[in-house]
Amino acid sequence: MLVVINQVSPIYINFSVPQQYLESVKRLMMRSRLPVQATPTGDSGPETGTLTFVDNTVDPATGTIALRASFPNNDQHLWPGQFSNVLLRLGEQQNVLVVPSQAVQAGQQGDYVFVTKPDMTVDVRQVNVGQTVNNETEVLNGLSPGETVVTDGQVRLIPGTKVYFTKGL
């Protein structure tokens, strides 16, 4: 007979991050315990735990580092084998221009967005983007605060197309 025992409280979540974040993770772990949030797929509320393990090797096939976080899980919100979205906060930036990620399109000349002009026509604007977190993408340059970008139907647009606002469902 084969038996598998899974601990539920506390529970551990294994995840990985790109190797480019290794130095930040190591530096921040030396200062304090790093908070980690896990939200089970299809759930709206995150559980909060702490980063407890960083693997000592980089996976050469994926270029990632394996990490493990521990969660108290007193209410058994997390379950063994369940997929979860994990957020490891390595820093916070103030006064950053962000747009909904679906507004950013990839083209032959790089990333771009469609910007709505005062006459309700659109123009294409090349942008340089930074990080993406929670479906928001940081725009490093190419866009000014207060400009309106198109988030749906970009495939039907060309510069000069007239657009109309619709309310979300």
Side-chain angles (χ1 to χ4, degrees):
M1 177 184 276
L2 179 64
V3 176
V4 176
I5 299 175
N6 286 314
Q7 182 172 313
V8 179
S9 183
I11 196 166
Y12 305 99
I13 293 183
N14 298 318
F15 62 103
S16 58
V17 296
Q19 66 185 353
Q20 70 198 46
Y21 298 111
L22 177 59
E23 288 307 313
S24 295
V25 169
K26 290 186 336 186
R27 183 181 71 252
L28 292 168
M29 277 190 75
M30 289 183 357
R31 289 191 215 157
S32 65
R33 299 186 78 154
L34 293 179
V36 178
Q37 288 184 331
T39 305
T41 302
D43 200 330
S44 60
E47 286 287 319
T48 301
T50 57
L51 185 63
T52 53
F53 173 78
V54 178
D55 198 354
N56 64 356
T57 59
V58 174
D59 182 339
T62 62
T64 60
I65 302 133
L67 306 174
R68 175 179 282 173
S70 174
F71 296 82
N73 202 34
N74 295 328
D75 62 356
Q76 298 184 356
H77 190 214
L78 302 170
W79 201 253
Q82 178 183 41
F83 287 98
S84 296
N85 293 316
V86 177
L87 176 66
L88 172 63
R89 190 179 309 266
L90 297 178
E92 220 171 277
Q93 295 177 301
Q94 301 294 321
N95 301 319
V96 175
L97 179 62
V98 295
V99 296
S101 296
Q102 68 265 29
V104 180
Q105 304 294 302
Q108 291 180 336
Q109 284 78 37
D111 294 323
Y112 65 94
V113 296
F114 284 99
V115 177
T116 305
K117 298 189 301 188
D119 65 356
M120 297 306 292
T121 61
V122 295
D123 197 14
V124 175
R125 188 81 56 80
Q126 296 298 130
V127 293
N128 289 332
V129 297
Q131 299 179 31
T132 298
V133 176
N134 291 339
N135 296 320
E136 290 187 332
T137 299
E138 174 186 20
V139 177
L140 302 173
N141 60 41
L143 199 59
S144 298
E147 290 187 292
T148 303
V149 295
V150 177
T151 59
D152 189 33
Q154 294 96 324
V155 73
R156 297 184 304 256
L157 297 178
I158 58 172
T161 303
K162 194 141 186 98
V163 294
Y164 304 92
F165 289 106
T166 59
K167 297 216 181 232
L169 299 176

